[in-house]
Amino acid sequence: MLKKVIFKDEVKKILLEYILTGNIRPGERISLPTIARKLELSVTPIREALTQLSETGIVVYIANRGFFVMELSLKEAKDIYALMAVLEGNAVKNSYYNPEQIQELRTINSAFIKAKNSLEMLEYDRLFHQKLIETYTNESASKIIENLRVRISLYDYAFWNEEQKMTSIAMHERIILLLASNDITSAVNLVEDNWIQGAQYIIDKFEKNQSK
């Protein structure tokens, strides 16, 4: 059973990368046979991984039609970034931080600085935010946060660039300094601002693209 779970997670990671990198585009129907041939697998683990991804909202299943990648939506972007700001802010408020965790956050942020492409940038950004709330004990809220993180990654990848990378790194560093000084209230406010700033960046990009 353990091997099956690991295998399904590996397939899910590959499918998520396909979606984020545009190999499967927003709104596009996902062809199970095509992916199965490409990965040299049966369609069963592909279907299982897509069913798991559908729980995050990044993939939707339509009866008698199949699985589709979700469409990007300005309204959804506003909704999910605002929700993430509240949920992760509350998670940080109810977490604890020791010197080892603070150092791990610094190490991740340092690696983030050296990231050379969007996938690497998003991975280190994800790792930073996961580490930030690893001591949070509300399992139900944590699952919601992780599912939101997957959905947000589709927006981040679509609009991410070097400017956004440097803004995020600078905000992460300020969050680390506040946590190191045990100023949790200010850290929570900055975590919320981090997501609000990200939302505004996406909104601006959406509106700029729509005006073309």
Short mmCIF file of all heavy atoms in Angstrom, two decimals, residues 77 80-86 88-89 92 105 109 112 121-122 124-130 132-133 149 152 156 160 163-176 178-179 185-203:
data_model
loop_
_atom_site.label_atom_id
_atom_site.label_comp_id
_atom_site.label_asym_id
_atom_site.label_seq_id
_atom_site.Cartn_x
_atom_site.Cartn_y
_atom_site.Cartn_z
N ALA A 77 -8.88 34.41 -8.66
CA ALA A 77 -7.59 34.87 -8.17
C ALA A 77 -7.77 35.78 -6.96
O ALA A 77 -7.10 35.63 -5.93
CB ALA A 77 -6.82 35.59 -9.28
N ILE A 80 -9.07 33.48 -3.90
CA ILE A 80 -8.19 32.50 -3.26
C ILE A 80 -6.96 33.14 -2.62
O ILE A 80 -6.48 32.67 -1.60
CB ILE A 80 -7.78 31.36 -4.22
CG1 ILE A 80 -7.00 31.89 -5.43
CG2 ILE A 80 -8.99 30.57 -4.67
CD1 ILE A 80 -6.53 30.78 -6.38
N TYR A 81 -6.45 34.24 -3.19
CA TYR A 81 -5.34 34.93 -2.54
C TYR A 81 -5.79 35.58 -1.24
O TYR A 81 -5.07 35.54 -0.23
CB TYR A 81 -4.72 35.98 -3.48
CG TYR A 81 -3.74 35.43 -4.48
CD1 TYR A 81 -4.18 34.84 -5.66
CD2 TYR A 81 -2.37 35.49 -4.27
CE1 TYR A 81 -3.29 34.33 -6.60
CE2 TYR A 81 -1.47 35.00 -5.18
CZ TYR A 81 -1.93 34.41 -6.36
OH TYR A 81 -1.04 33.90 -7.26
N ALA A 82 -6.99 36.17 -1.26
CA ALA A 82 -7.52 36.79 -0.04
C ALA A 82 -7.76 35.73 1.04
O ALA A 82 -7.46 35.95 2.22
CB ALA A 82 -8.83 37.52 -0.35
N LEU A 83 -8.27 34.57 0.63
CA LEU A 83 -8.51 33.48 1.58
C LEU A 83 -7.20 32.94 2.14
O LEU A 83 -7.08 32.68 3.35
CB LEU A 83 -9.29 32.36 0.90
CG LEU A 83 -9.66 31.14 1.76
CD1 LEU A 83 -10.46 31.58 2.98
CD2 LEU A 83 -10.46 30.14 0.92
N MET A 84 -6.20 32.81 1.27
CA MET A 84 -4.89 32.33 1.73
C MET A 84 -4.27 33.29 2.74
O MET A 84 -3.65 32.87 3.72
CB MET A 84 -3.95 32.12 0.54
CG MET A 84 -2.58 31.61 0.94
SD MET A 84 -2.63 29.96 1.68
CE MET A 84 -2.21 28.96 0.26
N ALA A 85 -4.43 34.59 2.50
CA ALA A 85 -3.88 35.59 3.43
C ALA A 85 -4.44 35.38 4.83
O ALA A 85 -3.71 35.38 5.82
CB ALA A 85 -4.21 37.00 2.93
N VAL A 86 -5.76 35.16 4.93
CA VAL A 86 -6.40 34.97 6.22
C VAL A 86 -5.96 33.65 6.87
O VAL A 86 -5.59 33.61 8.05
CB VAL A 86 -7.94 34.99 6.07
CG1 VAL A 86 -8.62 34.61 7.39
CG2 VAL A 86 -8.40 36.37 5.62
N GLU A 88 -3.32 31.55 6.19
CA GLU A 88 -1.91 31.40 6.55
C GLU A 88 -1.52 32.37 7.65
O GLU A 88 -0.69 32.04 8.51
CB GLU A 88 -1.01 31.58 5.33
CG GLU A 88 0.43 31.15 5.62
CD GLU A 88 1.29 31.07 4.38
OE1 GLU A 88 1.32 30.01 3.74
OE2 GLU A 88 1.95 32.09 4.06
N GLY A 89 -2.12 33.56 7.65
CA GLY A 89 -1.86 34.49 8.74
C GLY A 89 -2.27 33.89 10.08
O GLY A 89 -1.52 33.97 11.07
N VAL A 92 0.24 31.12 11.09
CA VAL A 92 1.49 31.67 11.67
C VAL A 92 1.23 32.13 13.10
O VAL A 92 2.05 31.90 14.00
CB VAL A 92 2.02 32.83 10.80
CG1 VAL A 92 3.17 33.55 11.51
CG2 VAL A 92 2.48 32.31 9.44
N LEU A 105 14.31 28.43 7.49
CA LEU A 105 13.63 29.42 6.66
C LEU A 105 14.66 30.27 5.90
O LEU A 105 14.48 30.57 4.71
CB LEU A 105 12.74 30.32 7.51
CG LEU A 105 11.45 29.70 8.03
CD1 LEU A 105 10.81 30.60 9.08
CD2 LEU A 105 10.46 29.46 6.88
N ASN A 109 15.15 30.49 1.81
CA ASN A 109 15.11 31.79 1.13
C ASN A 109 16.40 32.06 0.35
O ASN A 109 16.37 32.66 -0.73
CB ASN A 109 14.83 32.91 2.12
CG ASN A 109 14.05 34.06 1.50
OD1 ASN A 109 13.16 33.84 0.68
ND2 ASN A 109 14.37 35.28 1.89
N PHE A 112 16.14 30.17 -2.74
CA PHE A 112 15.16 30.87 -3.59
C PHE A 112 15.87 31.95 -4.43
O PHE A 112 15.60 32.11 -5.62
CB PHE A 112 14.10 31.48 -2.67
CG PHE A 112 12.88 32.06 -3.36
CD1 PHE A 112 12.71 31.99 -4.73
CD2 PHE A 112 11.89 32.67 -2.60
CE1 PHE A 112 11.58 32.52 -5.34
CE2 PHE A 112 10.75 33.20 -3.20
CZ PHE A 112 10.61 33.13 -4.57
N MET A 121 11.69 28.68 -8.77
CA MET A 121 11.23 29.78 -7.92
C MET A 121 9.98 29.40 -7.15
O MET A 121 9.88 29.61 -5.93
CB MET A 121 10.93 31.01 -8.79
CG MET A 121 12.13 31.64 -9.45
SD MET A 121 11.61 33.03 -10.52
CE MET A 121 13.06 33.20 -11.57
N LEU A 122 9.01 28.82 -7.86
CA LEU A 122 7.76 28.44 -7.22
C LEU A 122 7.96 27.34 -6.19
O LEU A 122 7.30 27.31 -5.15
CB LEU A 122 6.75 27.97 -8.27
CG LEU A 122 6.15 29.07 -9.15
CD1 LEU A 122 5.29 28.47 -10.24
CD2 LEU A 122 5.34 30.05 -8.32
N TYR A 124 10.71 26.81 -4.30
CA TYR A 124 11.29 27.38 -3.08
C TYR A 124 10.30 28.28 -2.36
O TYR A 124 10.29 28.33 -1.12
CB TYR A 124 12.58 28.13 -3.40
CG TYR A 124 13.74 27.21 -3.69
CD1 TYR A 124 14.38 27.22 -4.93
CD2 TYR A 124 14.17 26.28 -2.73
CE1 TYR A 124 15.42 26.34 -5.19
CE2 TYR A 124 15.21 25.41 -3.00
CZ TYR A 124 15.83 25.45 -4.23
OH TYR A 124 16.86 24.57 -4.48
N ASP A 125 9.46 28.98 -3.12
CA ASP A 125 8.42 29.79 -2.48
C ASP A 125 7.46 28.88 -1.72
O ASP A 125 7.06 29.17 -0.58
CB ASP A 125 7.67 30.60 -3.54
CG ASP A 125 6.69 31.58 -2.94
OD1 ASP A 125 7.14 32.47 -2.19
OD2 ASP A 125 5.48 31.46 -3.20
N ARG A 126 7.08 27.76 -2.34
CA ARG A 126 6.18 26.79 -1.69
C ARG A 126 6.82 26.22 -0.44
O ARG A 126 6.19 26.12 0.62
CB ARG A 126 5.84 25.66 -2.66
CG ARG A 126 4.91 24.60 -2.10
CD ARG A 126 4.73 23.45 -3.07
NE ARG A 126 5.96 22.70 -3.26
CZ ARG A 126 6.41 21.77 -2.41
NH1 ARG A 126 5.73 21.48 -1.31
NH2 ARG A 126 7.53 21.13 -2.65
N LEU A 127 8.11 25.84 -0.53
CA LEU A 127 8.81 25.26 0.61
C LEU A 127 8.89 26.26 1.77
O LEU A 127 8.76 25.88 2.94
CB LEU A 127 10.23 24.83 0.20
CG LEU A 127 10.32 23.59 -0.69
CD1 LEU A 127 11.77 23.38 -1.16
CD2 LEU A 127 9.83 22.35 0.04
N PHE A 128 9.11 27.53 1.44
CA PHE A 128 9.18 28.56 2.48
C PHE A 128 7.87 28.64 3.24
O PHE A 128 7.85 28.62 4.48
CB PHE A 128 9.52 29.92 1.87
CG PHE A 128 9.63 31.02 2.89
CD1 PHE A 128 10.84 31.28 3.52
CD2 PHE A 128 8.52 31.79 3.23
CE1 PHE A 128 10.94 32.29 4.48
CE2 PHE A 128 8.62 32.79 4.18
CZ PHE A 128 9.83 33.04 4.81
N HIS A 129 6.77 28.70 2.49
CA HIS A 129 5.47 28.86 3.15
C HIS A 129 5.05 27.58 3.88
O HIS A 129 4.38 27.65 4.91
CB HIS A 129 4.42 29.29 2.13
CG HIS A 129 4.55 30.72 1.73
ND1 HIS A 129 3.98 31.75 2.45
CD2 HIS A 129 5.21 31.31 0.70
CE1 HIS A 129 4.27 32.91 1.88
NE2 HIS A 129 5.02 32.67 0.82
N GLN A 130 5.45 26.42 3.38
CA GLN A 130 5.19 25.17 4.11
C GLN A 130 5.96 25.14 5.42
O GLN A 130 5.43 24.76 6.46
CB GLN A 130 5.57 23.97 3.25
CG GLN A 130 4.55 23.60 2.20
CD GLN A 130 4.90 22.31 1.49
OE1 GLN A 130 6.06 21.97 1.32
NE2 GLN A 130 3.88 21.59 1.04
N LEU A 132 6.96 27.63 7.08
CA LEU A 132 6.44 28.69 7.94
C LEU A 132 5.34 28.18 8.87
O LEU A 132 5.20 28.67 9.99
CB LEU A 132 5.90 29.81 7.04
CG LEU A 132 5.69 31.20 7.62
CD1 LEU A 132 7.00 31.76 8.17
CD2 LEU A 132 5.13 32.12 6.53
N ILE A 133 4.58 27.18 8.42
CA ILE A 133 3.44 26.73 9.23
C ILE A 133 3.54 25.23 9.59
O ILE A 133 2.52 24.59 9.87
CB ILE A 133 2.10 27.01 8.52
CG1 ILE A 133 2.00 26.26 7.18
CG2 ILE A 133 1.91 28.51 8.31
CD1 ILE A 133 0.61 26.32 6.57
N ARG A 149 -2.81 26.27 -2.09
CA ARG A 149 -1.46 26.52 -2.58
C ARG A 149 -1.27 25.94 -4.00
O ARG A 149 -0.62 26.54 -4.85
CB ARG A 149 -0.44 25.91 -1.62
CG ARG A 149 0.91 26.61 -1.66
CD ARG A 149 1.93 25.94 -0.77
NE ARG A 149 1.55 25.78 0.61
CZ ARG A 149 1.52 26.76 1.50
NH1 ARG A 149 1.82 27.99 1.14
NH2 ARG A 149 1.17 26.52 2.75
N ILE A 152 -3.20 28.21 -6.40
CA ILE A 152 -2.49 29.49 -6.56
C ILE A 152 -1.27 29.32 -7.45
O ILE A 152 -0.90 30.23 -8.21
CB ILE A 152 -2.11 30.04 -5.17
CG1 ILE A 152 -3.35 30.66 -4.51
CG2 ILE A 152 -0.98 31.08 -5.27
CD1 ILE A 152 -3.14 31.06 -3.06
N ASP A 156 0.47 31.79 -10.19
CA ASP A 156 1.84 32.26 -10.01
C ASP A 156 2.71 31.93 -11.22
O ASP A 156 3.47 32.76 -11.71
CB ASP A 156 2.46 31.62 -8.75
CG ASP A 156 2.01 32.30 -7.47
OD1 ASP A 156 1.46 33.41 -7.54
OD2 ASP A 156 2.23 31.72 -6.39
N TRP A 160 4.51 34.77 -13.13
CA TRP A 160 5.72 34.97 -12.34
C TRP A 160 6.85 35.55 -13.18
O TRP A 160 7.02 35.18 -14.34
CB TRP A 160 6.16 33.63 -11.76
CG TRP A 160 7.12 33.74 -10.61
CD1 TRP A 160 8.47 33.82 -10.69
CD2 TRP A 160 6.81 33.78 -9.22
NE1 TRP A 160 9.02 33.90 -9.43
CE2 TRP A 160 8.02 33.88 -8.51
CE3 TRP A 160 5.61 33.72 -8.50
CZ2 TRP A 160 8.07 33.93 -7.12
CZ3 TRP A 160 5.66 33.78 -7.12
CH2 TRP A 160 6.88 33.88 -6.45
N GLU A 163 10.90 40.22 -11.20
CA GLU A 163 10.46 41.29 -10.29
C GLU A 163 9.67 40.72 -9.12
O GLU A 163 9.90 41.08 -7.96
CB GLU A 163 9.59 42.29 -11.07
CG GLU A 163 8.99 43.39 -10.20
CD GLU A 163 7.95 44.21 -10.93
OE1 GLU A 163 7.77 44.01 -12.15
OE2 GLU A 163 7.30 45.06 -10.28
N GLN A 164 8.73 39.82 -9.43
CA GLN A 164 7.92 39.22 -8.37
C GLN A 164 8.78 38.35 -7.46
O GLN A 164 8.57 38.30 -6.25
CB GLN A 164 6.79 38.39 -8.99
CG GLN A 164 5.84 37.77 -7.98
CD GLN A 164 5.03 38.80 -7.19
OE1 GLN A 164 5.18 40.00 -7.38
NE2 GLN A 164 4.19 38.32 -6.30
N LYS A 165 9.76 37.68 -8.05
CA LYS A 165 10.68 36.85 -7.26
C LYS A 165 11.40 37.70 -6.21
O LYS A 165 11.44 37.35 -5.03
CB LYS A 165 11.70 36.19 -8.19
CG LYS A 165 12.86 35.52 -7.45
CD LYS A 165 13.96 35.09 -8.42
CE LYS A 165 15.20 34.62 -7.68
NZ LYS A 165 16.30 34.24 -8.60
N MET A 166 11.97 38.84 -6.63
CA MET A 166 12.74 39.66 -5.70
C MET A 166 11.85 40.29 -4.63
O MET A 166 12.27 40.43 -3.48
CB MET A 166 13.49 40.76 -6.48
CG MET A 166 14.50 40.22 -7.49
SD MET A 166 15.58 38.90 -6.84
CE MET A 166 16.45 39.79 -5.53
N THR A 167 10.62 40.64 -5.00
CA THR A 167 9.68 41.18 -4.01
C THR A 167 9.37 40.13 -2.94
O THR A 167 9.37 40.43 -1.74
CB THR A 167 8.38 41.63 -4.70
OG1 THR A 167 8.67 42.65 -5.65
CG2 THR A 167 7.37 42.15 -3.68
N SER A 168 9.12 38.89 -3.38
CA SER A 168 8.81 37.81 -2.45
C SER A 168 9.99 37.52 -1.54
O SER A 168 9.82 37.33 -0.32
CB SER A 168 8.41 36.54 -3.22
OG SER A 168 7.17 36.70 -3.85
N ILE A 169 11.18 37.47 -2.09
CA ILE A 169 12.38 37.19 -1.29
C ILE A 169 12.57 38.25 -0.21
O ILE A 169 12.86 37.93 0.94
CB ILE A 169 13.62 37.11 -2.20
CG1 ILE A 169 13.58 35.82 -3.03
CG2 ILE A 169 14.91 37.18 -1.39
CD1 ILE A 169 14.60 35.77 -4.15
N ALA A 170 12.37 39.51 -0.58
CA ALA A 170 12.53 40.60 0.39
C ALA A 170 11.49 40.49 1.50
O ALA A 170 11.81 40.69 2.69
CB ALA A 170 12.41 41.95 -0.32
N MET A 171 10.26 40.16 1.15
CA MET A 171 9.21 40.03 2.17
C MET A 171 9.47 38.82 3.06
O MET A 171 9.26 38.87 4.28
CB MET A 171 7.84 39.92 1.51
CG MET A 171 7.42 41.18 0.77
SD MET A 171 5.71 41.17 0.18
CE MET A 171 4.85 41.71 1.66
N HIS A 172 9.97 37.73 2.47
CA HIS A 172 10.33 36.56 3.26
C HIS A 172 11.40 36.90 4.30
O HIS A 172 11.33 36.47 5.45
CB HIS A 172 10.85 35.44 2.36
CG HIS A 172 9.80 34.81 1.50
ND1 HIS A 172 10.06 33.80 0.60
CD2 HIS A 172 8.46 35.04 1.41
CE1 HIS A 172 8.96 33.45 -0.01
NE2 HIS A 172 7.97 34.18 0.46
N GLU A 173 12.39 37.67 3.86
CA GLU A 173 13.48 38.03 4.77
C GLU A 173 12.96 38.86 5.94
O GLU A 173 13.37 38.67 7.10
CB GLU A 173 14.56 38.81 4.01
CG GLU A 173 15.83 39.08 4.82
CD GLU A 173 16.49 37.80 5.34
OE1 GLU A 173 16.50 36.79 4.61
OE2 GLU A 173 16.97 37.82 6.49
N ARG A 174 12.04 39.75 5.67
CA ARG A 174 11.46 40.57 6.74
C ARG A 174 10.62 39.71 7.69
O ARG A 174 10.63 39.91 8.91
CB ARG A 174 10.62 41.69 6.14
CG ARG A 174 11.44 42.81 5.47
CD ARG A 174 10.59 43.67 4.57
NE ARG A 174 9.46 44.28 5.26
CZ ARG A 174 8.40 44.78 4.63
NH1 ARG A 174 8.30 44.71 3.32
NH2 ARG A 174 7.43 45.34 5.34
N ILE A 175 9.91 38.73 7.13
CA ILE A 175 9.13 37.81 7.97
C ILE A 175 10.07 37.04 8.90
O ILE A 175 9.79 36.88 10.10
CB ILE A 175 8.32 36.83 7.10
CG1 ILE A 175 7.18 37.57 6.38
CG2 ILE A 175 7.75 35.69 7.95
CD1 ILE A 175 6.51 36.76 5.29
N ILE A 176 11.19 36.56 8.37
CA ILE A 176 12.16 35.81 9.17
C ILE A 176 12.69 36.67 10.31
O ILE A 176 12.79 36.21 11.46
CB ILE A 176 13.33 35.33 8.28
CG1 ILE A 176 12.85 34.26 7.29
CG2 ILE A 176 14.47 34.77 9.14
CD1 ILE A 176 13.86 33.93 6.20
N LEU A 178 11.28 39.21 11.79
CA LEU A 178 10.22 39.42 12.79
C LEU A 178 10.01 38.18 13.65
O LEU A 178 9.84 38.29 14.87
CB LEU A 178 8.92 39.81 12.08
CG LEU A 178 8.89 41.20 11.45
CD1 LEU A 178 7.67 41.35 10.56
CD2 LEU A 178 8.91 42.29 12.52
N LEU A 179 10.05 37.00 13.02
CA LEU A 179 9.90 35.77 13.78
C LEU A 179 11.09 35.56 14.71
O LEU A 179 10.92 35.11 15.85
CB LEU A 179 9.77 34.57 12.83
CG LEU A 179 8.50 34.52 11.98
CD1 LEU A 179 8.56 33.35 11.00
CD2 LEU A 179 7.25 34.41 12.86
N THR A 185 2.96 39.18 15.97
CA THR A 185 1.88 40.01 15.43
C THR A 185 2.29 40.69 14.14
O THR A 185 1.55 40.67 13.14
CB THR A 185 1.44 41.06 16.47
OG1 THR A 185 0.97 40.40 17.64
CG2 THR A 185 0.33 41.94 15.90
N SER A 186 3.48 41.29 14.14
CA SER A 186 3.96 41.96 12.92
C SER A 186 4.25 40.95 11.81
O SER A 186 4.03 41.23 10.63
CB SER A 186 5.23 42.76 13.22
OG SER A 186 4.96 43.81 14.13
N ALA A 187 4.73 39.77 12.20
CA ALA A 187 5.00 38.72 11.21
C ALA A 187 3.70 38.27 10.54
O ALA A 187 3.65 38.09 9.32
CB ALA A 187 5.69 37.53 11.87
N VAL A 188 2.65 38.11 11.35
CA VAL A 188 1.34 37.73 10.80
C VAL A 188 0.85 38.78 9.80
O VAL A 188 0.38 38.46 8.70
CB VAL A 188 0.31 37.55 11.93
CG1 VAL A 188 -1.11 37.45 11.36
CG2 VAL A 188 0.63 36.32 12.75
N ASN A 189 0.97 40.05 10.18
CA ASN A 189 0.54 41.13 9.29
C ASN A 189 1.32 41.11 7.98
O ASN A 189 0.75 41.33 6.90
CB ASN A 189 0.74 42.49 9.98
CG ASN A 189 -0.23 42.70 11.13
OD1 ASN A 189 -1.29 42.08 11.18
ND2 ASN A 189 0.14 43.55 12.07
N LEU A 190 2.61 40.83 8.06
CA LEU A 190 3.44 40.81 6.86
C LEU A 190 3.14 39.59 5.99
O LEU A 190 3.16 39.69 4.76
CB LEU A 190 4.92 40.83 7.24
CG LEU A 190 5.91 41.08 6.09
CD1 LEU A 190 5.55 42.34 5.32
CD2 LEU A 190 7.33 41.17 6.62
N VAL A 191 2.86 38.46 6.62
CA VAL A 191 2.45 37.27 5.85
C VAL A 191 1.17 37.57 5.08
O VAL A 191 1.05 37.24 3.89
CB VAL A 191 2.24 36.06 6.79
CG1 VAL A 191 1.51 34.93 6.06
CG2 VAL A 191 3.57 35.56 7.32
N GLU A 192 0.22 38.22 5.73
CA GLU A 192 -1.03 38.58 5.05
C GLU A 192 -0.74 39.57 3.92
O GLU A 192 -1.29 39.44 2.81
CB GLU A 192 -2.01 39.18 6.06
CG GLU A 192 -2.52 38.16 7.08
CD GLU A 192 -3.37 38.76 8.16
OE1 GLU A 192 -3.38 40.02 8.28
OE2 GLU A 192 -4.02 38.01 8.91
N ASP A 193 0.13 40.54 4.18
CA ASP A 193 0.50 41.52 3.14
C ASP A 193 1.19 40.83 1.96
O ASP A 193 1.03 41.25 0.81
CB ASP A 193 1.44 42.58 3.72
CG ASP A 193 0.72 43.56 4.64
OD1 ASP A 193 -0.53 43.58 4.61
OD2 ASP A 193 1.41 44.29 5.38
N ASN A 194 1.97 39.79 2.24
CA ASN A 194 2.67 39.04 1.20
C ASN A 194 1.66 38.48 0.19
O ASN A 194 1.85 38.57 -1.03
CB ASN A 194 3.48 37.93 1.84
CG ASN A 194 4.37 37.19 0.85
OD1 ASN A 194 4.78 36.07 1.12
ND2 ASN A 194 4.70 37.79 -0.28
N TRP A 195 0.58 37.89 0.71
CA TRP A 195 -0.44 37.32 -0.17
C TRP A 195 -1.28 38.40 -0.84
O TRP A 195 -1.64 38.28 -2.02
CB TRP A 195 -1.34 36.36 0.61
CG TRP A 195 -0.65 35.10 0.96
CD1 TRP A 195 -0.23 34.69 2.20
CD2 TRP A 195 -0.24 34.07 0.06
NE1 TRP A 195 0.40 33.47 2.12
CE2 TRP A 195 0.41 33.06 0.82
CE3 TRP A 195 -0.36 33.89 -1.32
CZ2 TRP A 195 0.93 31.91 0.24
CZ3 TRP A 195 0.16 32.75 -1.90
CH2 TRP A 195 0.80 31.77 -1.12
N ILE A 196 -1.56 39.47 -0.13
CA ILE A 196 -2.32 40.58 -0.72
C ILE A 196 -1.53 41.23 -1.84
O ILE A 196 -2.08 41.56 -2.91
CB ILE A 196 -2.69 41.62 0.37
CG1 ILE A 196 -3.70 41.00 1.35
CG2 ILE A 196 -3.26 42.89 -0.25
CD1 ILE A 196 -3.92 41.81 2.60
N GLN A 197 -0.22 41.40 -1.62
CA GLN A 197 0.65 41.96 -2.66
C GLN A 197 0.68 41.04 -3.88
O GLN A 197 0.62 41.49 -5.03
CB GLN A 197 2.07 42.16 -2.10
CG GLN A 197 3.06 42.77 -3.07
CD GLN A 197 3.74 41.74 -3.98
OE1 GLN A 197 3.85 40.57 -3.61
NE2 GLN A 197 4.16 42.17 -5.16
N GLY A 198 0.75 39.73 -3.62
CA GLY A 198 0.74 38.77 -4.72
C GLY A 198 -0.55 38.84 -5.51
O GLY A 198 -0.55 38.77 -6.75
N ALA A 199 -1.67 38.99 -4.80
CA ALA A 199 -2.97 39.10 -5.46
C ALA A 199 -3.02 40.33 -6.34
O ALA A 199 -3.50 40.28 -7.48
CB ALA A 199 -4.08 39.15 -4.41
N GLN A 200 -2.53 41.46 -5.82
CA GLN A 200 -2.57 42.70 -6.60
C GLN A 200 -1.71 42.59 -7.84
O GLN A 200 -2.07 43.09 -8.92
CB GLN A 200 -2.10 43.88 -5.73
CG GLN A 200 -2.34 45.23 -6.38
CD GLN A 200 -3.81 45.46 -6.72
OE1 GLN A 200 -4.67 45.33 -5.86
NE2 GLN A 200 -4.10 45.77 -7.98
N TYR A 201 -0.58 41.90 -7.72
CA TYR A 201 0.30 41.68 -8.87
C TYR A 201 -0.43 40.90 -9.95
O TYR A 201 -0.40 41.25 -11.14
CB TYR A 201 1.55 40.94 -8.41
CG TYR A 201 2.53 40.63 -9.52
CD1 TYR A 201 3.42 41.59 -9.97
CD2 TYR A 201 2.55 39.37 -10.11
CE1 TYR A 201 4.31 41.31 -10.99
CE2 TYR A 201 3.44 39.07 -11.13
CZ TYR A 201 4.32 40.04 -11.57
OH TYR A 201 5.20 39.76 -12.58
N ILE A 202 -1.13 39.83 -9.56
CA ILE A 202 -1.88 39.00 -10.51
C ILE A 202 -3.02 39.81 -11.13
O ILE A 202 -3.25 39.75 -12.35
CB ILE A 202 -2.46 37.76 -9.80
CG1 ILE A 202 -1.34 36.87 -9.25
CG2 ILE A 202 -3.36 36.97 -10.76
CD1 ILE A 202 -0.40 36.33 -10.27
N ILE A 203 -3.73 40.58 -10.30
CA ILE A 203 -4.84 41.40 -10.80
C ILE A 203 -4.34 42.39 -11.85
O ILE A 203 -4.95 42.56 -12.91
CB ILE A 203 -5.52 42.14 -9.63
CG1 ILE A 203 -6.27 41.14 -8.74
CG2 ILE A 203 -6.49 43.22 -10.14
CD1 ILE A 203 -6.67 41.71 -7.40
#
